[in-house]
Amino acid sequence: MTGKLEQIAEVVPPSNDTTSTRRPTSIRAPDDATSTLPARPRTMQGVVGAADVWLRVFRELDRVVDIPCPVLLTGPHGSGKHTCARALHRSGAPDQPFVVVDVAASALRSGDARAHRVAIDSSPERWLELAGSGTLFVSELTRLPPSAQLVLGEALGQAFQRPDACRLIVASELSVEQLRAHPSVRQDFFYRVSVLSCAVPPLRERGDDILELAREFLHATPRPAVSVDAAPRPRTGRARPFSPAAEQLMLSYPWPGNVAELRNAVEHAAALARGRTIRPADLPNHLRALTAPPHLSLELPLEGMDLRRTLDALESRFLQEALDRTSWNKQQAARLLGLNRTTLVEMLKRKRLRRPAAQD
């Protein structure tokens, strides 16, 4: 290769678990697409989430667990491409190394206490050597030098002649269509690495997974010391739960920073909360500002608007106002809104609006 490219790699040593097995040396065809799929994909062991769009990614990964073919993962920053790569590795070659080449030079992510970091030079041959019969994960395809793409592409061409070759997983924030036309991506390498391509959905499309992840992050966040004026801790020692209003706020927010932003918001709230629950006021200010219901106006803003989101926010605002005005008497609130009680109850379920505990 010409020039130097200092990269950082994260190497996860082989597992000491003697019950794990190596990836089979023979390649078998994936199950037929019409076969019955399990409710929980094999690759999702230890992965949080149950949204259909999230499960769909892992069902695709399940099909190549025993086939060491390359995989292309696309999706916005922080959407979980690294999580998907690690999950596929754990299912296919748990006793082999997992090497992350962070070509974006950003902070390494590692949830494995056995992982350690090493500085490596620009030689992709060294990356392949470190990966052994495990997995080599490249975090951003468009930042991978063409010379490195050439070397890795040649290695892929020889992979089916070497049953002990590592699996290459490449990720990108661009779509498959954008990558195909990107000037920094070699066409031959693109077609070699995209044997299986999976689009990882942004967090905003995962529905209730947002709350499940938020609770996971909350329980993993150390609680601050309790001051004399703070509410007493529950005797169980468990973290404060989110209030219904805080949950609704998190579900309404679009999470442009995806999982990383959610984790940051939860840690922020856990540090500030002093009541028995985490309330909207404990979450970062920008969440409340972006999801605040707009003032009713019959004029279309010059910059345009998100009509569905605006109408949904207005609907939530009037529902909340009617319930507050009637002390959560659903029959009276429905009458104020010109609805029957059954319709009101269904709307409350859909929007996950619940009566605050203080008013029970």
Side-chain angles (χ1 to χ4, degrees), residues 231-298:
R233 294 187 184 185
R235 291 185 179 180
T236 59
R238 297 175 60 186
R240 297 176 178 87
F242 292 103
S243 70
E247 291 184 348
Q248 179 62 34
L249 178 60
M250 290 189 291
L251 288 171
S252 301
Y253 183 70
W255 299 109
N258 293 291
V259 178
E261 185 181 9
L262 175 61
R263 183 193 296 271
N264 178 272
V266 170
E267 292 175 352
H268 174 98
L272 296 184
R274 290 296 181 268
R276 293 183 179 275
T277 61
I278 291 180
R279 301 166 298 176
D282 300 319
L283 291 164
N285 291 334
H286 68 274
L287 268 71
R288 302 195 301 277
L290 193 55
T291 55
H295 294 293
L296 182 60
S297 173
L298 298 180

Side-chain angles (χ1 to χ4, degrees), residues 243-245 277 320 323-324 327-328 353-360:
S243 70
T277 61
Q320 190 68 58
L323 290 164
D324 289 344
S327 299
W328 275 76
L353 290 175
R354 290 177 288 179
R355 185 174 185 172
Q359 298 183 19
D360 285 341

Side-chain angles (χ1 to χ4, degrees), residues 168-214:
L168 178 62
I169 303 178
V170 177
S172 179
E173 295 181 19
L174 301 184
S175 67
V176 170
E177 292 74 19
Q178 291 172 317
L179 288 172
R180 186 181 290 114
H182 200 280
S184 67
V185 178
R186 291 177 57 100
Q187 290 293 298
D188 56 346
F189 183 68
F190 170 79
Y191 288 114
R192 283 189 183 277
V193 81
S194 58
V195 172
L196 173 69
S197 61
C198 295
V200 181
L203 181 59
R204 65 177 178 272
E205 295 181 3
R206 291 175 56 186
D208 285 344
D209 283 2
I210 295 172
L211 299 183
E212 187 177 355
L213 282 165

Side-chain angles (χ1 to χ4, degrees), residues 86 92 95 113 115 118 182 280 317:
R86 288 289 293 270
D95 57 344
V118 294
H182 200 280
R317 188 184 79 178

